[in-house]
Amino acid sequence: MIGIADGGKPPLLAIGEAEWNDTMGIAHVEHLRHIRDLIAASGRYDTTRTRLVCFSGAGFNDTAVAQASASPDVQLIDLPALYGRS
């Protein structure tokens, strides 16, 4: 998701990954971090405030939950959150 820039690089607001049947873990978060780093290296977008968003129908393991609790740039969205039942 890309935002609008006032003369500078457009901000990359978020990148994400979705899984339906797999419990997501820290590897998914690290994969998104790696992608963000590659995009940052390209110099095309401002990635200083990019959110890493994981969507999962099966939920998240403890390491992913701990990472989301410790890092404001990581957001985990499960089915209750997606459907407004959290």
Side-chain angles (χ1 to χ4, degrees):
M1 182 180 302
I2 300 169
I4 298 172
D6 292 332
K9 292 186 228 177
L12 182 63
L13 303 175
I15 55 175
E17 184 171 345
E19 297 286 345
W20 183 251
N21 291 321
D22 294 332
T23 301
M24 296 181 85
I26 193 66
H28 294 91
V29 175
E30 291 302 325
H31 181 245
L32 293 175
R33 278 203 174 103
H34 177 69
I35 292 170
R36 182 178 59 191
D37 291 345
L38 292 174
I39 293 169
S42 77
R44 185 170 175 191
Y45 298 103
D46 176 5
T47 60
T48 56
R49 297 180 60 188
T50 302
R51 302 283 308 239
L52 308 177
V53 185
C54 294
F55 300 87
S56 178
F60 305 95
N61 70 22
D62 292 342
T63 57
V65 172
Q67 186 63 214
S69 295
S71 301
D73 64 332
V74 177
Q75 185 171 5
L76 307 179
I77 300 176
D78 57 10
L79 291 178
L82 184 63
Y83 291 106
R85 298 182 185 132
S86 57

